[in-house]
Amino acid sequence: MADPQGFMKYSRSDAPKRPKPDRLQDWNEVYLHEDPAERNAAVRTQATRCMDCGIPFCHSGSAGCPLGNLIPEWNDLVRRGDWELASDRLHATNNFPEFTGRLCPAPCEAACVLAISHDAGGAVAIKRVEETIADVSWENGYVQPSTAAVHSGKRVAVVGSGPAGLAAAQQLTRAGHEVVVYERDDRLGGLLRYGIPEFKMEKKVLDRRLSQLRREGTKFVTGCEVGVDITVEQLRSDFDAVVLAVGALRGRDDKTTPGRDLDGIHLAMDHLVPANRACEGDGPSSISAEGKHVIVIGGGDTGADCYGTATRQGALSVTQLDQYPMPPSVRDDDRSPWPVWPHVLRTYPAHEEAGERRFTVAVRRFVGDDAGHVRFIELQQVRVEKDSSGRRRVVPLSDEVEVLPADMVLLAIGFEGVEHMKVLDDFGIPLSSRGTISCGSDWQTTAPGVFVCGDAHRGASLVVWAIAEGRSVAHAVDKFLTGASSLPSPVIPNLLPLAVV
């Protein structure tokens, strides 16, 4: 059994980062490449802090990990040094632990029993343990292709190669179906490829997993937009089921702020995609922050990605703006009691490197030069409140205006849902009021035999939710094709994390 006093013997320790000056000189991952033996010893100590609670909220679908990762099990296996069995237990519930270990914000840690009280020293470093198990698995050859013993004769088309589509494709291939993944971009991976910066996850991590999928039998077609390059009629003719994992990439814009039409103001993805393409060797980015004063509007993950990308491109300054007050550094039990996702200040490695964050501020207007290019912003202190109908309003606190230089402005203010696509029109699938694709309890859309998962269904969300929905939709498709399924189904449609309302 686990060491029930481990958390009292050892303090929490996160993975060490490379020196900040070194990080800003390249696009490599921010975390230090440790000697494997030293890394493994440190992580075994961290795993020892896990108490194997009687009720482990860390893998509760409503509060912790929606994949249902068997966290106490593989923590104890790591503690005992049984990395191979730990890899087996981790991969039993998660197709891509190297993705989640690097990219997931870790609701499992927020729901860890040791997160209840600061006196306990903080949650178990679950993310660090997970990532290390995944890396050890690749280093020692534990990750091998898993091929089906019997083939069903059924064919499934998966539209989109992000984490949801890849998880669905891998599960269905292993169940014995012939799976073809269609990706409109020139490379596979969706947001993992062109949305996530290299310094958060090097793309060789993605490529080695894609190699495993290929060896298992999953087929891929890139540069092919379904509905345009291949028609819906062809899909209906050639496949027995279709999975839509097309993401939710319609970026939210703000057309109301005066000066929005000036050159140099871009949506976040218009900046991140060419930056990632440059890292792939496609040539210099078409939208670079080099030598510019950069303003990032939006305080979330995407804003932090733009922030770190701009600093690495050589920005003169980077300032990130948030309309809301600075969150507290520790959990407010009245607002977000354990085990719900806490409302706290989240500082990403990019924020430690350079630049500045500003809270309770909003842009009054963008100011340009005679050539029509943005050069300044006018900034006001604001308060966000709701009117009588519940709609959000941003209210200036005074008429005082601060002027900041701005040669580039990046709007990272969220996503409005699925892009308008011909494939949806041709299938006759409408978008919901949230801009997403609705489904029934079996993950099936209004079009018979057409299923949906991931951000296309949930709206922009976490990588762990995308994988969970991809695994669940694979179960539904397998059952649809064969009448029954032994594939796991960790979540149900419309399942939401535990929250205070």
Side-chain angles (χ1 to χ4, degrees):
M1 62 173 289
D3 183 348
Q5 297 180 331
F7 75 97
M8 293 187 284
K9 297 176 183 176
Y10 308 107
S11 60
R12 177 185 168 104
S13 175
D14 293 306
K17 304 183 187 75
R18 295 192 293 136
K20 286 180 277 190
D22 293 350
R23 282 145 53 181
L24 292 175
Q25 298 303 312
D26 60 40
W27 292 89
N28 298 336
E29 289 184 10
V30 301
Y31 291 97
L32 190 67
H33 180 72
E34 301 175 87
D35 173 77
E38 294 178 3
R39 174 203 62 194
N40 294 357
V43 171
R44 287 183 64 183
T45 297
Q46 290 305 300
T48 302
R49 298 187 69 244
C50 178
M51 299 182 295
D52 191 10
C53 308
I55 302 177
F57 283 82
C58 57
H59 61 70
S60 160
S62 61
C65 179
L67 280 166
N69 279 338
L70 306 170
I71 295 167
E73 289 189 31
W74 40 258
N75 272 336
D76 191 51
L77 290 165
V78 167
R79 177 183 72 88
R80 292 189 271 131
D82 193 338
W83 293 95
E84 186 169 8
L85 189 51
S87 172
D88 179 72
R89 300 311 290 148
L90 176 56
H91 282 92
T93 57
N94 188 350
N95 297 70
F96 315 124
E98 65 273 37
F99 301 168
T100 52
R102 286 169 168 81
L103 304 176
C104 182
C108 54
E109 293 189 11
C112 175
V113 168
L114 294 182
I116 296 177
S117 170
H118 299 297
D119 295 336
V124 174
I126 298 170
K127 247 182 84 163
R128 185 180 183 186
V129 178
E130 178 182 36
E131 181 182 351
T132 304
I133 295 172
D135 289 345
V136 169
S137 299
W138 287 102
E139 292 163 5
N140 293 346
Y142 302 152
V143 179
Q144 295 295 328
S146 177
T147 56
V150 178
H151 294 279
S152 68
K154 302 292 185 180
R155 305 187 76 227
V156 182
V158 176
V159 185
S161 66
L166 292 179
Q170 184 167 58
Q171 293 294 95
L172 288 166
T173 297
R174 291 174 171 179
H177 308 300
E178 182 181 348
V179 179
V180 181
V181 178
Y182 291 94
E183 171 56 60
R184 66 181 179 181
D185 284 330
D186 57 339
R187 296 183 180 93
L188 298 168
L191 274 182
L192 294 173
R193 175 76 63 183
Y194 288 135
I196 299 298
E198 189 83 356
F199 58 82
K200 287 179 68 175
M201 187 181 80
E202 295 174 12
K203 300 309 177 283
K204 64 184 180 183
V205 174
L206 169 62
D207 290 335
R208 69 186 179 189
R209 189 60 80 170
L210 289 169
S211 177
Q212 181 202 25
L213 267 69
R214 287 190 175 97
R215 286 181 288 157
E216 290 175 347
T218 301
K219 299 179 175 62
F220 296 96
V221 180
T222 56
C224 181
E225 183 171 358
V226 175
V228 178
D229 301 304
I230 180 173
T231 67
V232 164
E233 289 75 17
Q234 287 176 282
L235 282 189
R236 288 289 196 192
S237 173
D238 295 345
F239 295 93
D240 300 289
V242 177
V243 175
L244 299 177
V246 295
L249 293 173
R250 181 152 46 95
R252 181 174 290 117
D253 203 343
D254 176 16
K255 300 291 188 180
T256 62
T257 304
R260 167 62 185 89
D261 57 344
L262 291 168
D263 292 338
I265 304 175
H266 312 278
L267 296 182
M269 294 307 298
D270 294 337
H271 176 233
L272 293 175
V273 171
N276 277 300
R277 285 189 173 278
C279 291
E280 294 277 2
D282 290 351
S285 173
S286 57
I287 301 176
S288 175
E290 184 177 4
K292 298 175 181 177
H293 296 287
V294 178
I295 302 293
V296 179
I297 301 177
D301 288 14
T302 305
D305 292 346
C306 291
Y307 190 115
T309 298
T311 57
R312 282 161 177 75
Q313 289 176 332
L316 289 178
S317 68
V318 181
T319 306
Q320 186 173 12
L321 309 180
D322 195 329
Q323 296 174 339
Y324 294 93
M326 179 186 290
S329 58
V330 296
R331 186 194 293 264
D332 180 346
D333 288 333
D334 292 330
R335 179 169 184 173
S336 52
W338 180 88
V340 304
W341 182 242
H343 176 70
V344 294
L345 178 66
R346 290 181 170 81
T347 298
Y348 298 85
H351 294 132
E352 303 167 352
E353 296 164 352
E356 179 185 13
R357 302 165 80 181
R358 302 280 298 273
F359 295 88
T360 62
V361 292
V363 177
R364 187 176 79 162
R365 71 176 180 131
F366 303 105
V367 181
D369 58 20
D370 293 340
H373 197 287
V374 67
R375 292 302 177 210
F376 300 95
I377 61 168
E378 293 182 354
L379 202 63
Q380 285 184 300
Q381 293 288 320
V382 298
R383 179 178 66 250
V384 179
E385 57 185 36
K386 291 184 178 180
D387 61 21
S388 57
S389 62
R391 288 178 297 188
R392 193 179 67 96
R393 293 193 309 161
V394 180
V395 181
L397 295 179
S398 72
D399 293 330
E400 185 178 348
V401 172
E402 180 182 1
V403 177
L404 293 181
D407 306 306
M408 175 188 285
V409 177
L410 302 172
L411 302 178
I413 53 179
F415 297 89
E416 293 186 333
V418 178
E419 295 175 294
H420 298 293
M421 300 177 175
K422 191 173 186 299
V423 62
L424 301 182
D425 295 335
D426 292 349
F427 271 127
I429 298 174
L431 294 180
S432 70
S433 59
R434 297 174 50 247
T436 57
I437 300 172
S438 300
C439 67
S441 60
D442 61 353
W443 300 93
Q444 198 164 182
T445 68
T446 54
V450 180
F451 300 76
V452 66
C453 64
D455 285 2
H457 167 250
R458 292 187 67 81
S461 186
L462 308 180
V463 62
V464 69
W465 276 99
I467 297 171
E469 291 209 354
R471 288 171 66 87
S472 298
V473 86
H475 171 96
V477 172
D478 187 35
K479 184 176 180 180
F480 172 79
L481 295 176
T482 65
S485 179
S486 59
L487 293 177
S489 182
V491 294
I492 60 174
N494 307 316
L495 179 66
L496 297 175
L498 188 67
V500 176
V501 296

